Amino acid sequence: MGEEGTGGSVHLLCLAASSGVPLFCRSSRGGAPSRQQLPFSVIGSLNGVHMFGQNLEVQLSSARTKDTTVVWKSFHDSITLIVLSSEEGTSELKLERLLQMVFGAMEALSGFAEAMGTGFVSLMVSGRVVSATEGWWRLGTPEAVLLPWLVGSLPPQAARDYPVYLPHGSPTVPHRLLTLTLLPGLELCLLCGPRPPLSQLGPQLLERWWQPVLDPLRACLPLGPRGLPYGFPLHKDILGLLLLHLELKRCLFTVEPLGDKGPSPEQRRRLLRHFYALVTSTHFPPEPLEKVEDDVSRAQLPRACYLVLGPGEPGTGLRLIALQLGLRLLLLLLAPQSPTHGLRSLATHTLHTLSPLL
Amino acid sequence: MARPPAHGSVVVPDWHETTEGKEYLACILRKSRRRVFGLLERPVLPPPVAIDTASYKIFVSGKSGVGKTALVAKLAGLEVPLVHHETTGIQTTVVFWPAKLQASNRVIMFRFEFWDCGESALKKFDHMLLACKENTDAFLFLFSFTDRASFEDLPGQLARIAGEAPGVVRMVIGSKFDQYMHTDVPERDLTAFRQAWQLPLLRVKSVPGRRLADGRTLDGWAGLADIAHVLNGLAEQLWHQDQVAAGLLPTSAENTPS
């Protein structure tokens, strides 16, 4: 699994400790971020061998091949980080420290939340949640949707302290929604009770917590319009996409994945919205296929469908495809040149590529 | 409270229009538009120029609908909301403003944090008024030239809001001065108010400022020219207050009974 040729590479994998579900993967080569990713099977095996040991109460902490060093580390029984490095002069100790630092950076949000005495903290870019604490993700559906809308619709302010009634969680007693504009367009949001007062969240406290992660914060800014990290590999025919995770009840949505050739963002959004309404009302069940008990009816449920916009409509020839795999439902809007016989494999491939994100 | 300093005695009044002033102002603009700063950011001057920053909290108070949010937006160089709707909670806005001191010829970067809160939220939630008043360095009292009741409410506001903080800077601003033709507050009333309260009283227009050639973007330079007197006034009062508090200025002859 080491790199042939010049320059070592580093792969960092983050997985949920209990399920082995990959949360994110990052790679670099010669010190620069690289798009090259490890195959899913390799990630699975690396996690599998670590879990196998754990079940037998054996702690696997590192391994070496001819040119690669691998280090595993679990944090609080909830997160497993794995790093593989073929860089010269790499030591297990150095990699272990790296994992400690990575976990430290992941903890910034939850550490901040804990210090502020609330479990509900998120980072938003133009009304989209780009990162949030467990507590924030567990908010009931109306408020989980309405709070980002509210924040995204308000004119810019350095900070806010708004009373909010949560339709699901607290319809009669107001909570406080605090928002802090760390960078133009990037807001830190806290949902809390009487404490902390807004004045406590002054520039000095914010600088102490957030200045050390300024670069990752800046990297969040392009997520506003595009919804995907910069340089994320997507097929050029994709004009828009909507990915839903049916159990987490989260979605990833963009109508500006690459350039702006073709239909306007408004038209793309409208087409995807209509297609979503169509497939969820007529073809796909509202809940994951796995939850449909009866084997026979499960076998009869569709897993994919597509349509091509006919002549006479604006956007003639545009393709729309929906694909459901496990807990995920993916809808794609594609350019007219995309061959219809390749739609399903393109959708499947895209769904696999997007899976680490959601 | 010490008598307010005379206009132009602490800060050089038209410095922002000089060549030197414009060089400093350039750091709060980008392509002729006002720059918006996040809480982790601050204006950056070219390396040889390092200046001190003085930060102040300013609570903007006034009857509902007088234009508190619009005034703060104007000071920050943002779009003034076209339709009035009540502010639902506290919102703060940061404005950076470089100014030159008369006494030392030093340039100071003033960082004003304006606290604006809707009146019904203030009445409904006790903690909001407390949060706004806590450790504030100045109170900005707003009335509207088109709403006589808001002018008559000033003495009440001054007592209710700033009554427990007699040593803190207080300034009065009349908004919607662009509609002076239809004013409900004649000049003689302003004169009487000035004599009774000995407070600085400024006027601002509430119309959106000039736009750039594209017809949409607000012209940052023109916007600054519109509000420089307010920011200089605040800088002057606040710097003077700090000097008095630090015992750097004689206070004996200037004290008024409060």
Side-chain angles (χ1 to χ4, degrees):
Chain A
M1 86 194 41
E3 293 297 318
E4 287 104 38
T6 57
S9 63
V10 180
H11 297 279
L12 173 72
L13 315 171
C14 175
L15 304 105
S18 53
S19 60
V21 172
L23 300 174
F24 65 82
C25 310
R26 297 284 183 279
S27 304
S28 75
R29 189 172 182 152
S34 126
R35 278 192 210 174
Q36 186 213 356
Q37 291 203 340
L38 291 177
F40 192 78
S41 56
V42 174
I43 300 177
S45 318
L46 283 167
N47 185 53
V49 65
H50 180 250
M51 268 171 67
F52 179 74
Q54 233 167 10
N55 291 339
L56 302 171
E57 293 183 26
V58 173
Q59 192 60 47
L60 174 60
S61 53
S62 68
R64 255 174 196 276
T65 66
K66 201 173 77 195
D67 57 357
T68 301
T69 309
V70 189
V71 171
W72 290 262
K73 201 160 176 60
S74 288
F75 294 89
H76 306 309
D77 290 328
S78 64
I79 296 279
T80 302
L81 294 178
I82 307 173
V83 63
L84 296 84
S85 173
S86 60
E87 285 185 334
E88 265 180 56
T90 298
S91 70
E92 279 88 345
L93 184 67
K94 190 178 151 197
L95 291 179
E96 212 176 302
R97 290 220 175 115
L98 173 73
L99 294 185
Q100 288 280 8
M101 299 292 282
V102 169
F103 186 69
M106 289 168 62
E107 268 196 322
L109 199 64
S110 45
F112 177 79
E114 200 174 313
M116 294 303 114
T118 171
F120 305 93
V121 180
S122 68
L123 278 170
M124 283 190 212
V125 179
S126 2
R128 289 178 191 247
V129 180
V130 294
S131 181
T133 58
E134 280 292 310
W136 186 283
W137 287 126
R138 278 202 304 268
L139 286 172
T141 310
E143 40 262 42
V145 175
L146 292 172
L147 288 173
W149 278 5
L150 173 68
V151 174
S153 67
L154 294 167
Q157 301 284 347
R160 302 187 190 89
D161 182 345
Y162 276 20
V164 286
Y165 293 88
L166 307 175
H168 175 78
S170 180
T172 53
V173 180
H175 279 61
R176 291 166 63 228
L177 174 69
L178 305 185
T179 70
L180 301 139
T181 304
L182 298 180
L183 298 171
L186 176 78
E187 290 181 273
L188 177 66
C189 303
L190 291 83
L191 198 57
C192 53
R195 299 203 61 77
L198 184 59
S199 54
Q200 196 187 315
L201 297 149
Q204 281 160 350
L205 178 121
L206 293 178
E207 272 173 27
R208 202 176 72 226
W209 278 96
W210 298 98
Q211 202 74 44
V213 285
L214 197 56
D215 286 340
L217 288 180
R218 286 195 198 282
C220 291
L221 292 175
L223 295 175
R226 188 167 184 249
L228 291 169
Y230 184 75
F232 191 88
L234 272 187
H235 195 279
K236 61 174 173 39
D237 288 346
I238 298 174
L239 302 176
L241 70 86
L242 170 64
L243 174 68
L244 298 123
H245 195 293
L246 302 172
E247 195 168 71
L248 295 174
K249 296 200 188 299
R250 286 185 217 164
C251 76
L252 190 84
F253 172 71
T254 181
V255 286
E256 295 169 54
L258 301 163
D260 47 7
K261 266 186 273 173
S264 67
E266 291 72 32
Q267 197 190 350
R268 295 177 189 196
R269 200 174 292 128
R270 191 175 57 80
L271 288 169
L272 270 173
R273 190 184 294 135
H274 286 182
F275 188 54
Y276 171 75
L278 176 75
V279 296
T280 49
S281 60
T282 55
H283 298 304
F284 294 105
E287 55 181 23
L289 289 171
E290 277 65 18
K291 290 203 176 152
V292 178
E293 303 262 313
D294 180 3
D295 276 350
V296 179
S297 42
R298 197 161 62 191
Q300 288 169 348
L301 285 168
R303 279 157 199 262
C305 68
Y306 78 92
L307 64 82
V308 177
L309 293 188
E313 298 176 53
T316 304
L318 289 173
R319 285 110 162 82
L320 286 148
I321 177 159
L323 174 76
Q324 184 158 348
L325 270 181
L327 298 168
R328 293 182 179 85
L329 174 62
L330 176 69
L331 278 69
L332 292 180
L333 173 67
L334 296 152
Q337 74 263 20
S338 201
T340 45
H341 60 83
L343 291 180
R344 186 156 176 176
S345 70
L346 175 58
T348 312
H349 176 76
T350 308
L351 186 59
H352 284 306
T353 316
L354 291 167
S355 293
L357 298 175
L358 184 68
Chain B
M1 182 185 161
R3 186 188 294 272
H7 167 68
S9 64
V10 179
V11 165
V12 183
D14 293 325
W15 179 72
H16 60 276
E17 288 172 3
T18 65
T19 312
E20 186 197 31
K22 283 183 176 163
E23 279 168 21
Y24 280 87
L25 281 180
C27 72
I28 59 169
L29 291 132
R30 180 181 283 162
K31 291 181 186 161
S32 296
R33 305 168 59 170
R34 283 286 289 281
R35 258 195 78 179
V36 177
F37 294 92
L39 290 166
L40 297 179
E41 300 174 309
R42 59 191 57 217
V44 181
L45 288 155
V49 199
I51 58 172
D52 290 328
T53 302
S55 299
Y56 299 100
K57 171 179 172 180
I58 297 150
F59 174 32
V60 184
S61 174
K63 192 171 159 281
S64 181
V66 292
K68 298 185 284 291
T69 305
L71 171 74
V72 175
K74 210 162 164 54
L75 295 179
L78 299 171
E79 289 290 345
V80 174
L82 291 174
V83 188
H84 170 259
H85 64 90
E86 176 95 19
T87 301
T88 46
I90 301 173
Q91 46 198 34
T92 75
T93 304
V94 175
V95 175
F96 287 97
W97 178 248
K100 189 167 198 169
L101 302 177
Q102 287 282 18
S104 59
N105 258 344
R106 270 170 71 205
V107 179
I108 299 286
M109 181 62 77
F110 287 86
R111 180 190 188 272
F112 300 125
E113 192 171 287
F114 292 97
W115 287 53
D116 166 27
C117 186
E119 208 188 20
S120 62
L122 279 180
K123 284 183 179 152
K124 196 166 175 188
F125 304 103
D126 292 340
H127 72 269
M128 294 218 167
L129 183 56
L130 289 175
C132 289
K133 284 162 63 168
E134 188 191 13
N135 293 325
T136 191
D137 298 297
F139 294 99
L140 214 54
F141 291 96
L142 227 66
F143 73 92
S144 159
F145 275 102
T146 59
D147 176 3
R148 174 140 194 108
S150 71
F151 178 72
E152 287 174 350
D153 189 40
L154 282 177
Q157 288 266 352
L158 279 155
R160 270 200 314 278
I161 307 292
E164 298 143 35
V168 174
V169 165
R170 294 172 294 169
M171 263 173 74
V172 179
I173 292 191
S175 68
K176 305 183 190 173
F177 188 56
D178 44 289
Q179 296 171 45
Y180 191 65
M181 297 300 284
H182 314 284
T183 185
D184 288 334
V185 188
E187 193 62 39
R188 62 173 183 280
D189 289 349
L190 296 181
T191 311
F193 180 86
R194 269 207 200 90
Q195 276 169 359
W197 289 89
Q198 300 281 326
L199 292 178
L201 194 155
L202 304 174
R203 302 149 209 248
V204 289
K205 295 176 183 174
S206 304
V207 282
R210 205 169 70 200
R211 294 186 191 267
L212 292 171
D214 66 3
R216 286 179 291 119
T217 322
L218 285 169
D219 181 335
W221 288 105
L224 284 175
D226 284 348
I227 46 101
H229 66 299
V230 177
L231 298 177
N232 272 336
L234 275 169
E236 192 147 61
Q237 304 289 325
L238 287 161
W239 189 259
H240 180 79
Q241 171 176 260
D242 279 0
Q243 299 282 297
V244 171
L248 296 170
L249 289 179
T251 55
S252 53
E254 293 180 359
N255 274 355
T256 49
S258 54

